[in-house]
Amino acid sequence: MTMYAKDVMVVSFDKIHQDAPIENAIKLILNGRVRKSGHKTISLMVVDDLGQLCGVVSMYDILFHLRPDFLNLSVEANTLLWTGQLRRLVEALKGKNVRQVMSMNVMSAQLDDHIIVILDQMIKNKYRRLPVLEHNKPIGIIYLSDIYYHIFSSI
């Protein structure tokens, strides 16, 4: 059995512009597509004005940026009083755009990359998804769960 990126990638995926309000990304992820494997999409590819990939925004990125910045400075959340703060944090997050929240410097795959090369890259870097690019434009995305599904559903 030989498998390449083009055999496993999902070609129906959601994209969002880097300057879109983060609220648009939140809504797209809330209503994410359910893939053939049964898993729901929890991330969006972020593109620029030329349609080129410039990042990925995921549910994790959004929740990370919901938290106040000072929690990144070794302050423990359980030492503070949070009653009544969630609405304020959500409103502050809504004031951001996708560019401010997305993960940048995203690794990618090419159509003819062997599935083991892709799997190795994903496992070593703890990635759950890997965009497939052609001329820096997203043409597909490979999810770790879909690799699992494709490999083991055929044996």
Side-chain angles (χ1 to χ4, degrees):
M1 161 172 49
T2 302
M3 214 176 283
Y4 298 95
K6 61 187 170 194
D7 302 319
V8 177
M9 72 181 195
V10 174
V11 295
S12 179
F13 54 88
D14 292 316
K15 296 183 280 191
I16 193 165
H17 192 274
Q18 63 185 352
D19 295 325
I22 196 62
E23 198 167 357
N24 292 6
I26 291 168
K27 289 176 184 172
L28 278 169
I29 291 173
L30 274 174
N31 300 306
R33 301 171 190 247
V34 177
R35 302 187 309 278
K36 189 168 98 173
S37 64
H39 292 92
K40 184 177 176 187
T41 300
I42 59 170
S43 64
L44 308 168
M45 286 200 246
V46 181
V47 295
D48 61 17
D49 291 335
L50 301 174
Q52 295 183 336
L53 184 74
C54 56
V56 171
V57 65
S58 68
M59 182 175 58
Y60 176 87
D61 294 319
I62 293 168
L63 291 172
F64 179 88
H65 287 278
L66 174 70
R67 301 162 46 252
D69 290 339
F70 63 80
L71 289 178
N72 298 326
L73 304 172
S74 71
V75 174
E76 294 298 323
N78 64 354
T79 63
L80 303 168
L81 182 62
W82 294 102
T83 305
Q85 295 298 312
L86 189 55
R87 185 177 312 277
R88 184 186 58 77
L89 294 170
V90 168
E91 290 304 316
L93 178 66
K94 284 181 179 179
K96 297 183 179 187
N97 64 30
V98 171
R99 181 194 313 249
Q100 294 171 288
V101 176
M102 70 184 188
S103 295
M104 296 180 280
N105 302 320
V106 177
M107 296 179 96
S108 63
Q110 302 299 312
L111 277 174
D112 293 322
D113 287 350
H114 194 278
I115 201 66
I116 295 300
V117 173
I118 295 167
L119 181 60
D120 183 56
Q121 188 178 17
M122 292 176 82
I123 295 292
K124 285 181 179 171
N125 293 290
K126 298 181 180 171
Y127 293 147
R128 294 179 184 218
R129 69 198 64 79
L130 203 60
V132 180
L133 303 181
E134 193 169 66
H135 307 293
N136 283 339
K137 293 184 178 181
I139 58 168
I141 188 163
I142 298 172
Y143 295 95
L144 193 60
S145 56
D146 288 340
I147 292 174
Y148 184 91
Y149 175 82
H150 277 81
I151 292 172
F152 295 111
S153 68
S154 63
I155 57 170

